[in-house]
Amino acid sequence: MLAPKTIRPAMLRATRGTRVLARLPAVARPMQRMAASAYSTQRTTGFDPSVKTAMDKQTPPEPGSDFRVVIVGAGNINFGSDEGPWNHSFRLEHKLGPRLKVVALIDPSAERARDVLKTKCQSFVLSAYKDTIVYPDFKSYLESVTEENRPHAIWVGSPPAFRGSTEPGRNLEQLLTDGLPGVPLFIEKPVATGDVDQAFAVADMLKKSGNLVSVGYMLRYLKVVQKMKQIIAENHLRVMAINARYIMAYEHTAKLDWWDKSKNPGPIVEQATHFCDLARYFGGEADLSSVVAHSLEHYEPAGRLSKIPVDESLIAPENRIPRVTCATWKFDTGAVGSLTHAVALQGTDYSTELDVYADGYSLRLVDPYNNPMLYIRRPGDDHEEVVRYNDDDPFFSEVSNLIDCIEKGEGTSPILSSYEDAVKTYALTWAIRRASERSARSPPPS
């Protein structure tokens, strides 16, 4: 997962040096809470952006019964890195406090898993990890599950190549729901790397299973995004157009696989997916048959980059990523969507913006990863009002909301992205990639 690396966010000020925070009731058995009706919880569309969501604004936790979590994946998304603000374990620690007990860490690299556990056990969260057992795969973990250590939730941050399908070896969701029916799941995006129809089959399987599922499209949880939803709803607006721009700073992206679309699904599916998701969040369902896209390829004169930090000659020419992808499409409402993704900037700062237009209104979301700001132009005033929220952490909100639903029942807090919803975003990203590949100019003869 790659996102803007310069982290100066107002949204993250609460994430450094804060107390262990949250207040929750005793844990009820997940299977008693999760039935087929639980899926309806995930259709909640938003929340009031004026409510306090930052970690340092929560009520300190009271002692209570253990909340047992299984973490799948010992990598950056679950345990953090210098590349970005993601770190699910950190948010779990602050939400649950001393009640958190990570009963298992599942990762094929025992060394990597032991390293992250060693770091945790040398910190103030020792009690959450001192009894954690490392397992190489889910099947070996499942053999150890008893009524006493059954988890209350599973956090999935493993690479998407191993999930999102019904094929053996890529069917993690099926293993989880079959082995631990009723246990709620948090699953990172993108939900898959393979066939879109397979991902929809997994969505259907999860819906029928009754497992509560939240997918990590965290930008939906930004307060500025919720403010946009509020303005649209309160003024009965019909969105006319959405224009998303994601311009990447590439010179420090030194992971060779990221530049290889045979190893990584490519920048639209893996990176611009958050903006495709926001476009759907505001605009509704996209008509995939209407998607038109063009790309700037590495072999075209304008596609030659001067500071690629990897040896691109190690990648087969047909597998090198596009430098620019521009797409347009229609929403079912008739509104028009557009996306520009470019691998173009140097340094560390990305340029990311999304515009939503309706009759009389312009809603412009700027820099949602680092310093989220919303510029609003309303009828009768040509000037833009600026809205920002200090100490907003959407990563914490998505963690907190799922745990609230587990413990307090459906509808307690909104889960803003179900698995089925996430697969629809996945389908849009692949429609864009395929359209751009169909229209790409042929490379010059060698």
Side-chain angles (χ1 to χ4, degrees), residues 39 198-210 419-420 423:
Y39 192 79
Q198 285 277 311
F200 274 112
V202 173
D204 186 58
M205 179 269 296
L206 288 171
K207 185 187 296 188
K208 293 175 180 176
S209 76
Y419 194 93
E420 181 180 33
V423 174

Side-chain angles (χ1 to χ4, degrees), residues 4 245-249 275 340 345 348-353 367-368:
R245 297 175 299 285
Y246 192 118
I247 316 301
M248 175 192 180
F275 273 31
T340 296
L345 299 178
T348 57
D349 285 358
Y350 289 38
S351 175
T352 53
E353 297 188 14
D367 199 11

Side-chain angles (χ1 to χ4, degrees), residues 142-354:
L142 194 59
E143 295 173 356
S144 72
V145 176
T146 67
E147 286 299 307
E148 289 70 31
N149 66 13
R150 183 183 178 85
H152 298 100
I154 302 173
W155 241 257
V156 179
S158 57
F162 301 103
R163 44 190 174 83
S165 173
T166 58
E167 298 174 2
R170 305 179 68 180
N171 62 335
L172 178 61
E173 296 88 351
Q174 188 172 24
L175 295 176
L176 294 174
T177 54
D178 288 350
L180 294 170
V183 175
L185 308 174
F186 179 91
I187 299 175
E188 256 307 327
K189 49 58 58 186
V191 292
T193 59
D195 184 73
V196 171
D197 288 339
Q198 285 277 311
F200 274 112
V202 173
D204 186 58
M205 179 269 296
L206 288 171
K207 185 187 296 188
K208 293 175 180 176
S209 76
N211 291 63
L212 182 63
V213 181
S214 175
V215 177
Y217 279 107
M218 79 289 176
L219 294 184
R220 292 189 178 202
Y221 293 84
L222 279 172
K223 288 188 174 184
V224 286
V225 167
Q226 292 305 312
K227 182 65 175 179
M228 295 167 75
K229 292 285 282 188
Q230 184 183 72
I231 291 171
I232 292 169
E234 290 180 349
N235 294 280
H236 308 288
L237 302 180
R238 293 184 181 272
V239 171
M240 301 170 64
I242 296 172
N243 180 22
R245 297 175 299 285
Y246 192 118
I247 316 301
M248 175 192 180
Y250 70 87
E251 72 170 304
H252 299 292
T253 305
K255 194 173 182 179
L256 184 65
D257 284 359
W258 190 85
W259 296 84
D260 184 343
K261 62 183 182 181
S262 71
K263 302 287 183 60
N264 184 297
I268 297 298
V269 178
E270 192 271 345
Q271 192 175 67
T273 182
H274 281 293
F275 273 31
C276 291
D277 187 69
L278 283 184
R280 289 187 53 253
Y281 193 48
F282 294 119
E285 294 310 326
D287 176 2
L288 300 186
S289 67
S290 71
V291 174
V292 177
H294 295 280
S295 62
L296 168 64
E297 299 295 332
H298 67 92
Y299 48 79
E300 298 180 278
R304 295 170 186 165
L305 300 176
S306 61
K307 287 198 172 183
I308 297 179
V310 300
D311 182 358
E312 206 175 21
S313 68
L314 298 174
I315 303 171
E318 65 272 17
N319 292 330
R320 297 174 193 171
I321 64 168
R323 295 351 187 186
V324 178
T325 303
C326 294
T328 60
W329 63 90
K330 293 278 284 183
F331 292 98
D332 287 349
T333 62
V336 177
S338 63
L339 168 73
T340 296
H341 180 283
V343 182
L345 299 178
Q346 297 174 6
T348 57
D349 285 358
Y350 289 38
S351 175
T352 53
E353 297 188 14
L354 183 139

Side-chain angles (χ1 to χ4, degrees), residues 8 12 46 66 76 87 208 303 312 353 416 443:
R8 300 189 302 267
L12 292 180
D66 292 347
N76 295 347
N87 187 334
K208 293 175 180 176
E312 206 175 21
E353 297 188 14
L416 300 183

